[in-house]
Amino acid sequence: MPFPAPSAALLGDLAGRLGPQGFTVDPADLAPWLTDWRRRVTGAAAALVSPASAEEAAFVVARAAAEGVAIVPQGGNSSMVGGATPAGPAEGRALLVSMRRMRAIRSVSPADNAVVAEAGVVLADLHEAVEAEGRRFPLSLAAKGNATVGGLVSTNAGGTQVLRFGPMRSLVLGLEAVLPDGSLLHGLAPLRKDNRGYDLKQLLIGGEGTLGLVTAATLRLVPAFETRSVGWIGLRSAEDALTLLRRLEDRLGEAVESFELVPAEGLALVLRHIPDTRAPLAESWTWNVLVEAVGSGDIGERLQNELMDAIEQGLAGDATIAASEAQADALWKLRESLSEAEARDGMAAKHDIAVPVADMPGFMTRASTAVTARFPGVRPIAFGHLGDGNVHFNVRAPEGGDDKAWFKAQAAAVSRFVHGLVTESGGTMSAEHGIGRFKRADFAALADPVRLAAMRAIKAALDPAGIMNPGALLPLAEDAPGQ
Amino acid sequence: MPFPAPSAALLGDLAGRLGPQGFTVDPADLAPWLTDWRRRVTGAAAALVSPASAEEAAFVVARAAAEGVAIVPQGGNSSMVGGATPAGPAEGRALLVSMRRMRAIRSVSPADNAVVAEAGVVLADLHEAVEAEGRRFPLSLAAKGNATVGGLVSTNAGGTQVLRFGPMRSLVLGLEAVLPDGSLLHGLAPLRKDNRGYDLKQLLIGGEGTLGLVTAATLRLVPAFETRSVGWIGLRSAEDALTLLRRLEDRLGEAVESFELVPAEGLALVLRHIPDTRAPLAESWTWNVLVEAVGSGDIGERLQNELMDAIEQGLAGDATIAASEAQADALWKLRESLSEAEARDGMAAKHDIAVPVADMPGFMTRASTAVTARFPGVRPIAFGHLGDGNVHFNVRAPEGGDDKAWFKAQAAAVSRFVHGLVTESGGTMSAEHGIGRFKRADFAALADPVRLAAMRAIKAALDPAGIMNPGALLPLAEDAPGQ
């Protein structure tokens, strides 16, 4: 392996510049940050380094670069793909650089509709800070109590409001970041238009820390919302769900912020395993949709009229609209408990995939048929963000067997098969979570060689020694391509 | 100069593969495409090459790359900054590659809210094609009868609806492009979420053809709009205009699509020089705003109520709302004739700049003061897209003198001074038009060295021989930096 361990002089310099709060080699301090969120791998690092400013972060990277020492950046350590765990080719010799001390919100400007937040700001804290100024940051996800701004930027995080506002890529107005040579890129001005050449921030967004260390971001805000209306709809087919979505968008405009698809089987799992849940409709429908519309005072009435129309015309089977915030929360609980209900029911190979929206109903059917033909007995279940084409396509162990043994023996093969199916359909094997360390081998096998060559050229140009987050995202020599 | 002329063998191969419609060296065929849109420079090229498919385009680039021959891509030739004119370091030896033959709209998918259009499709034709499917492509600009999809992508074009929908960067869902080595990058699938590493399309968007040749794009569509309401408002200050904008956004949501700022002096120029125009308000106001809101049937009433509120509270001085489409067009004419009225009045050094929105009122005042102090007698005028922070800051010749002589002697110095002011304010010297060939020297002098070094590294990685659009965007050795 090419990465050296940091020299004593380097460690001494870092300790001197960052102080005891910013530098430690104590195994007890490191331990909590060496295992990934899903508890699949535990790595090792030479030191935990926690800069308190962009200048300190630049100092750390410059000094590491001078020795060719690897850096693994870490925010809230909530990656689903092992993106922030030092378990790559520099394991034990990398500096684990935590951004959690950089947690200042530098400014909130309602007139600019922008907030400048440091990389270590936790998403839930960001929400609170901008709400106090009458604004909202329109991106949220389950890990909001842990996920940090730097991690959200570096993974181009999505969430439940992508339909209307897009992922992080659409919400980042500016970035400050340390490039792999230790130089500091200043770009926090909240410019709505800027055509001075290549948009470097777009490379860092979703770059998984392989091209630089994000230290702060300027993020787009929107007006605080007035009213939300949440409905639950029973439908006969996923195609009908898509037709309904486009109709609601035509008639209600961009008020439709969420449109989540839940199959009968998924709802049944939730009702079976999750306490305090009940079926929202009298009958069971093959497909269910949770819709949330946000707007001025009459949005509930407008949504209700549209749903009544859809039922009368046979497009929807049945529907209900939450009459209170408590009922709205109860409907959301049905959707948000799906993963947990599934986990309680047994092991599943999970996939974070997306296809073009119009193909999503067809893909779910094709993929279910193909996977059960190839792996007899498995039970596929598909749900997700219909408006984004983002399917959570999970394949559960055959009924009645030893699901843990099945998972160990079969999950990798099932995932490679599913990732192949989605790639053939023009889709993506990573809609939201990124590639990280866990999906690198499948990515190596399935990526378009033209795209991969361009990515490698960019990586080599900006990080010639490959010190930034080695082992994440870009396939390594040991990932056997074409497998 | 490092660029060789194409060999006879190369020219023969291109003629053979592309046929007489796709290849010519006849000076009469080339002539119309060698002068830039603003008629400032005339270049020369070895041949005009017009591929009819992505495969032909890839063949052209691969063969040129093999000989190190330069390529200047061209769409509608409507660049404001000489971005598509072969007047760079390979002048006379470059292949001028016109994309105008690739004008198919490959598909319109209302269910995906997406259209796949080839690079040569003219913007006005695109608008028409998607309207026929009940959708709209929410980007428009003055050159829509000439500008092509490939050029709009490569320059990250903006226009009048950026406030709501963003520039091209926000509207491109996928790209197909030939990279500088002749390989074809396939990426047209309309995925709303895709986290497989570096987003290469974001480099090509706004890359001004220096990193590849865009052959087709998948573009985001939105529902066709129902009703528009256009108002004209008189205000006492630009700060009041910004306050009004944020208030309308809070209360009307994203219905506000345009919010254009016009100073009293600009309106006076229009009324003086443009036939069939009349003042929309009884009194003259220091600042005027044209607002367009789009939405369901009651949007006109809602806008009117808000404007009446603003007048009662002293935020606005006076206001009128167009009672018909003809009146709406008449209000838009006042805004859209500003450049022409100014041109009729005499020469001006023009600037396409942006600052953070909240600083726009302050910047206009500071910059006007600074430029008249440095260049006594000049008459600055500022107008533009307030919601985007995009100021058209033009500096007119002193009154009564020889304005052509003044322009020749002073315009470059004025522009460098204005570009310096905006850079010091954290703004951009190119909000919409790009750098092209005309702004390269100022860009060289004012660009952040860290950003410029990263851009050069990316260019060298993807186009090591520098054959793609040499002389555009990236400063050359002969641009004296720091001037």
Side-chain angles (χ1 to χ4, degrees):
Chain A
M1 285 299 156
F3 296 102
S7 69
L10 171 54
L11 295 176
D13 284 358
L14 296 177
R17 173 77 186 256
L18 277 70
Q21 284 199 295
F23 181 86
T24 176
V25 294
D26 183 341
D29 293 335
L30 268 74
W33 309 106
L34 296 175
T35 297
D36 78 290
W37 188 251
R38 299 172 77 178
R39 307 203 163 274
R40 286 206 185 168
V41 294
T42 296
L48 176 64
V49 184
S50 309
S53 68
E55 290 68 29
E56 285 189 5
F59 177 81
V60 171
V61 177
R63 290 290 287 109
E67 293 197 0
V69 165
I71 284 174
V72 176
Q74 193 179 80
N77 195 27
S78 57
S79 172
M80 300 292 280
V81 290
T85 304
E91 176 158 8
R93 292 183 301 279
L95 301 175
L96 181 59
V97 177
S98 164
M99 301 307 288
R100 287 181 293 274
R101 284 181 73 209
M102 288 189 65
R103 53 173 180 258
I105 290 181
R106 293 192 194 160
S107 65
V108 184
S109 168
D112 276 319
N113 274 335
V115 57
V116 180
E118 290 187 343
V121 171
V122 170
L123 181 55
D125 295 338
L126 180 70
H127 286 159
E128 212 168 290
V130 303
E131 272 162 29
E133 303 283 338
R135 290 291 182 270
R136 68 176 165 135
F137 177 61
L139 184 141
S140 192
L141 35 72
K144 66 184 175 186
N146 292 280
T148 59
V149 165
L152 294 164
V153 169
S154 299
T155 60
N156 184 30
T160 51
Q161 291 151 301
V162 173
L163 180 58
R164 178 165 179 187
F165 297 105
M168 283 300 284
R169 197 175 290 290
S170 308
L171 298 171
V172 174
L173 297 173
L175 277 188
E176 176 191 85
V178 183
L179 298 185
D181 65 358
S183 58
L184 192 54
L185 183 71
H186 295 280
L188 289 173
L191 299 176
R192 301 285 162 158
K193 286 180 174 174
D194 185 10
N195 275 343
R196 287 175 293 176
Y198 315 150
D199 192 346
L200 300 178
K201 69 175 181 296
Q202 296 293 345
L203 281 177
L204 293 161
I205 298 168
E208 303 193 12
T210 63
L211 296 178
L213 185 63
V214 172
T215 53
T218 305
L219 302 170
R220 179 185 166 208
L221 302 177
V222 300
F225 67 69
E226 298 161 77
T227 313
R228 72 165 177 172
S229 179
V230 176
W232 189 276
I233 306 143
L235 299 124
R236 292 170 194 88
S237 74
E239 285 80 2
D240 284 351
L242 183 55
T243 304
L244 178 63
L245 168 63
R246 293 306 176 216
R247 201 158 122 161
L248 292 178
E249 285 179 338
D250 282 353
R251 301 193 182 170
L252 302 180
E254 300 201 332
V256 182
E257 290 202 359
S258 300
F259 199 86
E260 304 282 314
L261 192 63
V262 178
E265 197 177 8
L267 179 58
L269 283 177
V270 170
L271 299 175
R272 189 180 317 147
H273 293 289
I274 307 294
D276 304 323
T277 55
R278 61 183 209 83
L281 302 174
E283 288 173 77
S284 170
W285 294 89
T286 313
W287 291 97
N288 302 268
V289 159
L290 180 149
V291 62
E292 177 166 315
V294 165
S296 52
D298 64 346
I299 188 70
E301 196 184 325
R302 294 174 66 201
L303 179 61
Q304 182 151 21
N305 290 340
E306 292 302 330
L307 295 184
M308 281 168 57
D309 258 20
I311 292 171
E312 273 169 28
Q313 291 164 30
L315 181 61
D318 195 4
T320 180
I321 288 197
S324 66
E325 276 297 299
Q327 283 185 18
D329 289 343
L331 292 178
W332 266 111
K333 186 179 176 184
L334 297 175
R335 164 64 186 89
E336 289 181 334
S337 306
L338 244 170
S339 290
E340 192 187 335
E342 214 186 27
R344 292 195 190 180
D345 204 64
M347 301 285 282
K350 300 190 168 197
H351 309 98
D352 159 45
I353 62 185
V355 294
V357 174
D359 188 35
M360 188 165 154
F363 176 81
M364 293 189 299
T365 307
R366 289 199 310 279
S368 296
T369 306
V371 79
T372 46
R374 174 74 181 76
F375 301 95
V378 298
R379 295 168 298 165
I381 180 169
F383 58 96
H385 317 294
L386 180 60
D388 310 331
N390 186 183
V391 196
H392 296 282
F393 187 83
N394 298 339
V395 180
R396 294 190 294 149
E399 195 150 20
D402 176 347
D403 62 341
K404 287 202 180 84
W406 172 86
F407 187 86
K408 205 169 168 185
Q410 294 289 326
V414 168
S415 292
R416 175 66 62 92
F417 182 77
V418 171
H419 290 157
L421 289 176
V422 73
T423 304
E424 280 163 28
S425 292
T428 174
M429 55 170 280
S430 175
E432 291 197 313
H433 299 159
I435 301 297
R437 287 170 176 78
F438 299 162
K439 292 193 181 167
R440 223 181 44 213
D442 277 12
F443 184 51
L446 297 168
D448 172 3
V450 172
R451 186 172 293 275
L452 198 52
M455 283 178 56
R456 285 187 194 280
I458 292 166
K459 170 74 173 178
L462 295 180
D463 183 16
I467 61 168
M468 292 305 301
N469 209 9
L473 181 53
L474 279 173
L476 302 169
E478 63 257 37
D479 298 316
Q483 244 185 24
Chain B
M1 285 300 157
F3 296 102
S7 70
L10 170 54
L11 294 176
D13 285 357
L14 296 177
R17 172 78 187 256
L18 277 70
Q21 284 200 296
F23 181 86
T24 177
V25 294
D26 182 341
D29 292 336
L30 268 75
W33 310 107
L34 296 175
T35 297
D36 78 291
W37 188 250
R38 298 173 78 178
R39 308 202 163 273
R40 285 205 185 170
V41 293
T42 296
L48 177 64
V49 184
S50 309
S53 68
E55 291 67 30
E56 285 188 5
F59 176 80
V60 172
V61 177
R63 289 292 285 111
E67 293 197 1
V69 165
I71 284 174
V72 176
Q74 192 178 82
N77 194 27
S78 58
S79 172
M80 300 292 280
V81 291
T85 304
E91 176 159 8
R93 292 183 301 279
L95 301 174
L96 181 58
V97 177
S98 164
M99 302 308 287
R100 287 181 294 273
R101 283 181 74 209
M102 289 191 64
R103 51 173 181 258
I105 289 179
R106 294 192 192 159
S107 65
V108 184
S109 170
D112 275 320
N113 274 335
V115 57
V116 180
E118 290 187 343
V121 171
V122 170
L123 181 55
D125 295 338
L126 180 71
H127 286 158
E128 215 169 285
V130 304
E131 271 163 31
E133 303 283 339
R135 291 290 182 270
R136 67 175 166 136
F137 177 61
L139 183 140
S140 192
L141 35 71
K144 67 184 175 187
N146 293 279
T148 59
V149 165
L152 294 164
V153 169
S154 300
T155 59
N156 184 32
T160 52
Q161 291 150 302
V162 173
L163 179 59
R164 178 164 178 187
F165 296 105
M168 284 299 285
R169 197 175 290 292
S170 308
L171 298 170
V172 175
L173 296 172
L175 277 189
E176 176 191 85
V178 183
L179 298 186
D181 64 358
S183 59
L184 192 54
L185 182 72
H186 296 279
L188 288 174
L191 300 176
R192 301 284 163 161
K193 286 180 175 174
D194 186 10
N195 276 342
R196 288 175 292 176
Y198 315 149
D199 192 347
L200 300 178
K201 71 175 181 296
Q202 296 293 346
L203 280 177
L204 292 162
I205 300 168
E208 302 192 13
T210 63
L211 296 178
L213 185 62
V214 171
T215 53
T218 305
L219 301 171
R220 180 186 164 205
L221 301 178
V222 300
F225 68 66
E226 299 161 76
T227 311
R228 74 165 175 170
S229 179
V230 176
W232 189 277
I233 304 143
L235 299 125
R236 289 169 197 90
S237 73
E239 286 79 4
D240 283 352
L242 184 56
T243 304
L244 178 63
L245 168 63
R246 294 306 175 216
R247 202 157 121 162
L248 292 178
E249 284 179 340
D250 282 354
R251 301 194 183 170
L252 302 179
E254 299 201 334
V256 182
E257 290 203 0
S258 300
F259 200 87
E260 303 282 313
L261 192 63
V262 178
E265 196 178 8
L267 179 58
L269 283 177
V270 170
L271 299 175
R272 189 181 316 149
H273 292 290
I274 308 294
D276 303 323
T277 54
R278 60 182 208 83
L281 301 176
E283 287 174 75
S284 169
W285 295 89
T286 312
W287 290 98
N288 301 267
V289 159
L290 180 149
V291 62
E292 177 165 315
V294 165
S296 52
D298 64 345
I299 189 68
E301 195 184 325
R302 293 174 66 203
L303 179 61
Q304 182 152 22
N305 290 341
E306 291 302 333
L307 296 183
M308 281 168 59
D309 257 20
I311 292 170
E312 273 170 28
Q313 291 163 29
L315 181 59
D318 195 3
T320 181
I321 288 196
S324 66
E325 276 296 299
Q327 283 185 17
D329 288 342
L331 292 178
W332 265 111
K333 184 179 177 184
L334 296 175
R335 164 66 186 87
E336 290 182 333
S337 306
L338 243 169
S339 290
E340 192 187 335
E342 214 185 29
R344 292 195 190 181
D345 205 64
M347 301 286 282
K350 299 189 168 196
H351 309 99
D352 160 44
I353 60 184
V355 294
V357 174
D359 187 34
M360 188 164 153
F363 176 81
M364 292 190 298
T365 306
R366 288 199 311 278
S368 295
T369 305
V371 79
T372 45
R374 173 76 180 71
F375 300 94
V378 298
R379 294 167 298 164
I381 180 169
F383 59 96
H385 318 293
L386 180 61
D388 309 331
N390 186 184
V391 195
H392 296 284
F393 187 83
N394 298 341
V395 179
R396 295 190 294 149
E399 196 149 19
D402 176 347
D403 62 341
K404 287 201 179 88
W406 172 85
F407 187 85
K408 204 167 167 189
Q410 293 288 325
V414 168
S415 292
R416 175 66 61 91
F417 182 77
V418 170
H419 291 156
L421 288 176
V422 72
T423 305
E424 280 163 28
S425 291
T428 173
M429 55 171 280
S430 175
E432 292 196 312
H433 299 160
I435 301 297
R437 287 169 176 79
F438 300 162
K439 293 193 181 167
R440 224 182 43 212
D442 278 12
F443 184 50
L446 295 168
D448 172 3
V450 171
R451 185 172 294 273
L452 198 52
M455 283 178 57
R456 284 187 195 279
I458 291 165
K459 169 74 173 176
L462 295 180
D463 183 15
I467 62 167
M468 293 304 303
N469 209 8
L473 181 54
L474 279 173
L476 302 169
E478 65 258 34
D479 298 317
Q483 243 186 23

